[in-house]
Structures are given as C-alpha cells and as structure tokens.
Amino acid sequence: MTARDQREVAEHPSPPRRTKGRPPTLSEDQIVDAALAVIRSEGLDALSMRRLSRELGRSQMAVYSYVADKQALLDLVARRTLAGVEVPEEGAWDVRLRGLIDNIDRRLRQQPGIAGLLLQRMLHSDQHIMDAMMEIMHSAGLPERQVVLAYAMIHTYLFGRYQVTLAPVENSDNQLPPTLAKVTTHLDELHGADYYNFGIDTLIDGLRARIEAARTDPGPQ
C-alpha cells in the first residue's frame, strides 16, 4: 500500500462490518411507546400486532415473543397511561374524589385516544385506582351497593364522554323544535372543560345527597 493509499484509509475508514446475530432485545417501554405512537397517529382501532411490528421494525413473530396477544398489549398501554396517578390522601372525601378524577382526566388529555381503551379495560389494567376511588366513597358513608353503582357511573362518564361530541347545528331549511333551537345557540360558547366540570360537579353533588340520606336512614340501600 502506497503512502497515498494509507492516507486515504486514515481519512476515510471503512464502516464496521455488520455481524450476523440476534437483534437487540425490546423493552416493555419500547413496546408501549410504539403502541402509543400508533394510537396517537392513527387511532386505537388501527393498533394491531402486525401494525405494532411495523412500528418497531421487527417481525410479527418476534413481537409475539414479548407480548402474548393484543389484549395483553392493550393492558400494557392502559397501565402506562394510569401509572403514577396520584391518589389524594388529605381533605374531605369530595375534595379527594374530585382530585383523583381530575388526575385521571389529566392523563387522558395527555394521551389522546386512550379513553376508549380504559372504558373497556380498566378492570384489567389498574385495580389500584378503582380501589382508591371506591374507598373514598365508602369511607364517606356511601353504602357498598351504591359504591359499585357510583363507580360505574363515574367510570362511564370519565372515559366514555370522549366518544360523545356535540357540534353546532348547521343552518338548514328544516326548522328545529323550539327548545332545541333555544339551547343549541349556546354550543359555540361551550368547551370541553365546561362539559367536564358540569358533569363531575353534578355527579359529586348527587353523591353528597345520597351519603347524607344514608346517614339519616341507615337501612338497606
């Protein structure tokens, strides 16, 4: 090799030769991050094991070695969404309950598209949050049977409301019924926070009334 050739090699070294072998292992965080990326860009319905494998750049069979099936994948995503949700420990029961609900909703707004998943998979994903919410209501004096009903009501509203939207009624030749015509004029001035706060305030007001009724009449509820 001439001196010139040696200088060329020194200035432009050849890239390292790839060696065959197993690709790097995947972590749970990488898998959940990829699943969330698909959900954010294409929606929850687009998430599948095949779509996840493309996002990760791995074969579908390779992904199955880390996640058993789509249901297990959905549970991982749901647990990530609720991981670290703070459960208020101080204050009156209604303050604690509202704080917990607000903390959950904050996570939902950070991860668009996840609410529908939690509506279906909450029991499988984070029983700690369910237990905390039920404990707050039960310790306040709500009878056990009503605790179950109250949780179901909060769960349905908190996670299900994202699937319901109200849009202003477009002008048309058809005249709206009188009450509908009056109330729909307010749709433009209402925003997501208005619906959320009204709904949660109404739910908690109803629970206050039921807890007070249970204190004055402790019979079967």
Side-chain angles (χ1 to χ4, degrees), residues 106-197:
R106 193 172 299 113
R107 289 299 180 89
L108 296 180
R109 286 185 279 109
Q110 293 170 351
Q111 299 289 357
I114 297 298
L117 168 61
L118 292 173
L119 181 65
Q120 306 169 22
R121 305 292 299 174
M122 186 71 175
L123 181 61
H124 305 276
S125 59
D126 203 321
Q127 296 178 0
H128 169 69
I129 296 296
M130 293 178 62
D131 183 74
M133 191 175 294
M134 291 182 176
E135 185 278 329
I136 291 172
M137 294 185 288
H138 188 250
S139 64
L142 194 66
E144 292 178 2
R145 183 173 181 272
Q146 292 191 35
V147 167
V148 176
L149 296 171
Y151 175 81
M153 178 178 60
I154 294 171
H155 177 101
T156 302
Y157 180 76
L158 182 59
F159 301 118
R161 78 183 196 284
Y162 283 93
Q163 301 182 22
V164 179
T165 58
L166 289 177
V169 178
E170 297 181 359
N171 293 327
S172 67
D173 295 334
N174 297 325
Q175 185 175 1
L176 294 174
T179 303
L180 185 59
K182 290 179 181 179
V183 302
T184 52
T185 60
H186 298 282
L187 288 177
D188 285 336
E189 66 194 51
L190 295 173
H191 305 284
D194 299 311
Y195 293 104
Y196 173 75
N197 289 322

Side-chain angles (χ1 to χ4, degrees), residues 58-111:
R58 300 292 183 87
S59 70
Q60 190 170 344
M61 289 305 298
V63 172
Y64 273 112
S65 66
Y66 295 94
V67 185
D69 52 31
K70 183 177 178 179
Q71 296 306 314
L73 174 63
L74 293 177
D75 288 341
L76 288 177
V77 173
R79 278 196 290 272
R80 162 75 76 81
T81 303
L82 296 176
V85 169
E86 181 182 356
V87 179
E89 300 292 343
E90 303 294 333
W93 72 267
D94 50 352
V95 174
R96 293 176 61 209
L97 181 60
R98 178 59 190 258
L100 177 55
I101 293 172
D102 286 347
N103 291 343
I104 296 171
D105 185 68
R106 193 172 299 113
R107 289 299 180 89
L108 296 180
R109 286 185 279 109
Q110 293 170 351
Q111 299 289 357

Side-chain angles (χ1 to χ4, degrees), residues 6-73:
Q6 291 175 346
R7 287 196 302 271
E8 287 289 335
V9 171
E11 293 173 2
H12 305 286
S14 300
R17 181 178 297 176
R18 288 188 177 181
T19 58
K20 293 183 178 181
R22 298 183 62 184
T25 58
L26 290 171
S27 68
E28 181 176 302
D29 283 343
Q30 289 175 306
I31 292 170
V32 176
D33 286 343
L36 287 171
V38 173
I39 294 171
R40 281 193 294 266
S41 62
E42 303 173 31
L44 180 61
D45 290 342
L47 181 62
S48 66
M49 299 298 284
R50 177 177 296 177
R51 180 64 186 84
L52 177 67
S53 66
R54 292 206 312 269
E55 187 72 19
L56 289 167
R58 300 292 183 87
S59 70
Q60 190 170 344
M61 289 305 298
V63 172
Y64 273 112
S65 66
Y66 295 94
V67 185
D69 52 31
K70 183 177 178 179
Q71 296 306 314
L73 174 63

